[in-house]
């Protein structure tokens, strides 16, 4: 079987699997967040944390709860990382204070940027009790925020958006934990390890020595992908045979990182009472994913067929097609896991992965973050369309006025501001430029990729940049924190503005937001906004390298 046929079959199986679970999973998540009953285990949690599950919160209280919960998580994880040497199963693992700050912020913000080698910088105890716990909690936070925004569109003349603590617990107990449990068992059966054996030194075929690490990898790998987290147990991430041993596990991992983001549009359609709206968002996400997958795959296949083969940095166990599929999917979501080194991709292939993140990671984006990012672009789209045709911009009967478009614009501008500002500083600051492996356009791409990755809470990296220095650790942590919580607060403020409005009936002057024409406009706005914002930087980086 040729590589092309094998690659196309792999994509076809993946798409079929996502299509099969789309409706039942989407419907289930809609039921989870509209159910009036509380499970017994959930009521126990509410009693322990002293939360009244029947009370609801305005957007301000909801936002305070999100940020406060996350800040406490950062502090606790930082303490675990700093004092891991005196905790159980230490095994000599240690971490600098600035690296610990970076790592704590990284995992709590669902970024999972790693300035350390996974197997050396953290102990099995920290991997399990610290990092894996945040791998469950951080996507649940994003899911809760997305649901709050949907409620803002659904409810009429209301004040409350729900209860963050209820949304958090339900997202964990009813969605994330069950799927992760099944995923971990499947990955374990596929050959991923799950043990606590002591490191073993073995002799290689070349006569050298290598230390073989064990760990609770299958359980972490499942939630790492499902929660669009991305932090690897080992430094090589999903290119390591203990994390991703064969083509079967590779496909399962890609499926896990896409399954919730691609099912959430169905949840949105069911919750707003118009499934056509869900199909519109689904079509928007799928179109962008297919376009970028085509660009990255073509670039890498073309590079691999060149005179030098272009296979450096690819995972030879899988080949070019699965490497391109993984790279596209992990940067289209906020996952950041890698099964090959993006640094070694062709200029257009690496640039495609970079542009995926520059779009705002809404194709389909992370757990929850992808849906609310797509809805921000939808609001921007109806506003621009309304200006073009002279109609009052509305989305699902809610008017998009000055306050709504201001909040939307600010939320959309957070990421580009962080990326361009810190990339520009990095290119002239010796503390960053001295850490670049490459010079010229590729060196610019290394730095720009790093700040784009963290500002989008993705976490993947162009491995050529040595980022484990106090300056880069702290500035990257700042970008992660602001890139995560500034948009969340603005999205919740937007939801608060929308929920207070009365839903207007559909009239002849209402712009339809469920047609193929709107999907095309939807995609065009996302691409044009990303292109206008980042084209000068891309022209100096990956585009200049591709044309050289």
């Amino acid at each position: 079987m040729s590589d092309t046929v094998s690659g196309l079959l792999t994509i076809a199986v993946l798409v079929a699997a996502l299509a099969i679970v789309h409706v039942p999973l989407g419907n289930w998540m809609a039921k989870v967040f509209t159910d009036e009953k509380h499970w017994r285990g959930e009521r126990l949690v509410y009693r322990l944390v002293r939360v009244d599950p029947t009370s609801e919160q305005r957007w301000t209280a909801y936002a305070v709860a999100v940020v406060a919960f996350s800040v406490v998580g950062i502090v606790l994880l930082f303490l675990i990382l700093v004092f891991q040497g005196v905790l159980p199963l230490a095994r000599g693992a240690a971490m600098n204070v600035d690296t610990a700050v970076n790592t704590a912020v990284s995992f709590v913000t669902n970024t999972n940027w790693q300035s350390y080698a996974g197997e050396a910088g953290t102990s099995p105890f920290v991997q399990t009790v610290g990092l894996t716990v945040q791998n469950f909690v951080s996507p649940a936070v994003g899911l809760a925020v997305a649901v709050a925004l949907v409620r803002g569109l659904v409810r009429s003349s209301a004040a409350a958006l729900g209860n963050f603590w209820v949304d958090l617990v339900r997202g964990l107990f009813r969605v994330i934990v069950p799927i992760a449990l099944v995923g971990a068992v499947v990955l374990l059966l596929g050959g991923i390890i799950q043990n606590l054996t002591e490191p073993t030194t073995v002799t290689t075929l070349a006569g050298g020595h290598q230390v073989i690490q064990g760990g609770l990898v299958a359980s972490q790998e499942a939630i790492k992908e499902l929660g669009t987290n991305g932090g690897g147990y080992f430094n090589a991430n999903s290119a390591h045979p203990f994390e991703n041993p064969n083509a079967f596990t590779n496909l399962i991992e890609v499926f896990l990182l896409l399954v919730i983001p691609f099912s959430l549009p169905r949840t949105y359609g069911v919750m707003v009472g118009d499934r056509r709206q869900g199909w519109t968002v689904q079509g928007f996400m799928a179109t962008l994913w297919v376009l970028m997958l085509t660009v990255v795959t073509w670039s890498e296949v073309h590079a691999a067929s060149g005179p030098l083969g272009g296979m450096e940095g690819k995972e030879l166990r899988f080949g070019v097609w699965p490497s391109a599929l993984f790279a596209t999917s992990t940067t289209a979501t906020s996952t950041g896991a890698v099964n090959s080194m993006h640094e070694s991709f062709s200029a257009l292939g690496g640039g495609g992965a970079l542009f995926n993140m520059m779009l705002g990671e809404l194709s389909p984006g992370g757990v929850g973050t992808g849906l609310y990012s797509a809805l921000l672009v939808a609001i921007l789209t109806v506003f621009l369309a309304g200006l073009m045709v002279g109609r009052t911009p509305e989305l699902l009967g809610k008017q998009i006025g000055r306050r709504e478009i201001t909040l939307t614009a600010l939320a959309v501008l957070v990421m580009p501001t962080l990326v361009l500002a810190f990339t520009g500083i990095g290119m002239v600051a010796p503390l960053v430029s001295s850490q670049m492996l490459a010079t010229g356009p590729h060196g610019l791409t290394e730095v720009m990729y790093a700040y784009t990755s963290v500002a989008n809470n993705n976490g993947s990296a162009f491995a050529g940049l040595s980022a484990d220095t106090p300056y880069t650790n702290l500035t990257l942590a700042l970008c992660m924190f602001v890139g995560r919580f500034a948009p969340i607060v603005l999205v919740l403020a937007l939801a608060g503005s929308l929920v207070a409005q009365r839903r207007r009936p559909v009239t002849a002057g209402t712009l339809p937001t469920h047609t193929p024409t709107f999907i095309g406009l939807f995609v065009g706005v996302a691409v044009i906004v990303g292109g206008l914002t980042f084209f000068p930087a891309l022209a100096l980086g990956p585009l200049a390298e591709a044309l050289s």
Side-chain angles (χ1 to χ4, degrees):
M1 184 183 297
S2 68
D3 290 342
T4 300
V5 173
S6 176
L8 290 173
L9 284 175
T10 299
I11 295 171
V13 170
L14 173 65
V15 172
L18 291 171
I20 289 170
V21 303
H22 172 76
V23 171
L25 180 56
N27 289 349
W28 170 247
M29 288 190 288
K31 178 177 174 56
V32 165
F33 293 106
T34 56
D35 191 3
E36 296 182 358
K37 297 181 180 179
H38 304 288
W39 290 1
R40 182 176 301 176
E42 295 170 349
R43 290 197 298 269
L44 176 60
V45 173
Y46 301 143
R47 284 198 296 270
L48 289 174
V49 298
R50 298 184 179 182
V51 168
D52 179 7
T54 62
S55 65
E56 293 201 345
Q57 299 168 313
R58 294 175 177 268
W59 80 263
T60 49
Y62 204 105
V64 168
V66 170
V67 176
F69 176 74
S70 301
V71 169
V72 170
I74 291 172
V75 173
L76 292 177
L77 182 54
F78 170 76
L79 294 175
I80 292 174
L81 291 166
V82 170
F83 294 107
Q84 64 179 308
V86 298
L87 296 174
L89 300 172
R91 295 182 181 177
M95 190 175 287
N96 295 329
V97 172
D98 56 284
T99 308
V101 171
N102 180 284
T103 305
V105 174
S106 176
F107 277 78
V108 173
T109 59
N110 199 237
T111 310
N112 295 59
W113 173 276
Q114 293 176 285
S115 293
Y116 61 94
E119 59 267 53
T122 49
S123 67
F125 180 85
V126 170
Q127 293 267 21
T128 305
V129 176
L131 306 187
T132 302
V133 168
Q134 287 302 326
N135 281 351
F136 279 95
V137 172
S138 61
V141 171
L143 190 56
V145 173
V147 170
L149 179 57
V150 174
R151 290 196 188 108
L153 290 167
V154 172
R155 296 180 177 181
S156 180
S157 301
L161 297 174
N163 188 308
F164 167 70
W165 307 106
V166 173
D167 293 337
L168 178 73
V169 170
R170 287 187 175 187
L172 278 171
F173 285 3
R174 303 193 192 185
V175 180
I176 296 173
V177 171
I179 302 176
L181 178 61
V182 174
V185 173
V186 172
L187 293 176
L188 185 61
L189 294 174
I192 295 180
I193 67 170
Q194 182 82 352
N195 59 56
L196 282 175
T197 58
E198 292 290 331
T200 304
T201 302
V202 298
T203 303
T204 66
L205 294 176
H209 295 88
Q210 181 177 357
V211 177
I212 303 298
Q213 299 273 4
L216 302 175
V217 180
S219 55
Q220 181 166 323
E221 195 72 16
I223 187 57
K224 153 191 158 182
E225 309 295 3
L226 178 68
T228 58
N229 296 288
Y233 201 100
F234 299 99
N235 192 39
N237 209 281
S238 290
H240 196 289
F242 286 176
E243 287 195 33
N244 192 7
N246 51 57
F248 170 74
T249 57
N250 190 69
L251 181 59
I252 293 298
E253 290 183 17
V254 177
F255 171 80
L256 286 174
L257 65 89
L258 291 172
V259 64
I260 292 180
F262 264 136
S263 297
L264 277 172
R266 175 74 179 189
T267 304
Y268 165 64
V270 173
M271 289 184 68
V272 300
D274 185 354
R275 295 175 182 175
R276 297 174 301 176
Q277 302 296 329
W279 288 118
T280 298
V281 177
Q282 183 75 24
F284 164 76
M285 291 177 171
T287 299
L288 288 175
W289 182 76
V290 169
L291 286 174
M292 297 313 300
L293 177 61
T294 302
V295 170
V296 175
T297 303
W298 177 85
S299 301
E300 295 312 299
V301 169
H302 179 73
S305 63
L308 299 179
M311 292 299 293
E312 193 272 330
K314 307 297 186 301
E315 179 48 73
L316 297 180
R317 293 176 300 146
F318 306 136
V320 176
W321 282 75
S323 296
L325 174 62
F326 203 112
T328 301
S329 299
T330 197
T331 53
T333 60
S334 61
T335 309
V338 294
N339 75 345
S340 54
M341 296 301 104
H342 297 178
E343 169 84 11
S344 300
F345 275 32
S346 65
L348 287 180
L354 174 60
F355 189 66
N356 247 345
M357 296 185 292
M358 289 176 168
L359 287 171
E361 296 196 74
L362 35 74
S363 57
V367 173
T369 60
L371 178 60
Y372 69 65
S373 296
L375 292 178
L376 289 176
V377 178
I379 290 171
L380 187 59
T381 302
V382 297
F383 181 78
L384 294 175
L387 292 179
M388 289 189 289
V389 300
R391 293 179 176 178
T392 301
E394 293 180 9
L395 181 63
L396 296 177
K398 298 297 181 77
Q399 182 175 345
I400 308 303
R402 184 179 66 178
R403 175 175 170 79
E404 289 76 22
I405 198 61
T406 299
L407 292 169
T408 300
L410 289 173
V412 170
L413 289 173
V414 169
M415 180 270 292
T417 301
L418 292 171
V419 172
L420 296 176
F422 280 97
T423 298
I425 295 171
M427 292 308 296
V428 298
L431 291 172
V432 177
S433 58
S434 62
Q435 304 301 312
M436 292 161 41
L437 178 66
T439 57
H442 197 77
L444 170 61
T445 305
E446 287 179 358
V447 177
M448 184 161 53
Y449 192 105
Y451 284 104
T452 303
S453 178
V454 295
N456 275 289
N457 303 129
N458 180 275
S460 63
F462 257 38
L465 180 67
S466 299
D468 192 15
T469 65
Y471 175 82
T472 50
N473 275 328
L474 296 178
T475 55
L476 291 171
L478 176 63
C479 287
M480 287 184 256
F481 189 89
V482 177
R484 171 76 163 181
F485 295 112
I488 281 179
V489 172
L490 291 167
V491 165
L492 290 173
L494 173 63
S497 178
L498 293 171
V499 78
Q501 293 186 31
R502 183 185 301 275
R503 292 192 70 175
R504 301 184 177 191
V506 176
T507 66
T510 303
L511 176 71
T513 57
H514 59 269
T515 63
T517 301
F518 184 79
I519 294 176
L521 185 60
F522 201 173
V523 172
V525 168
V527 173
I528 291 172
V529 168
L532 290 177
T533 304
F534 290 108
F535 181 77
L538 289 170
L540 295 173
L543 293 179
E545 183 183 357
L547 295 173
S548 62

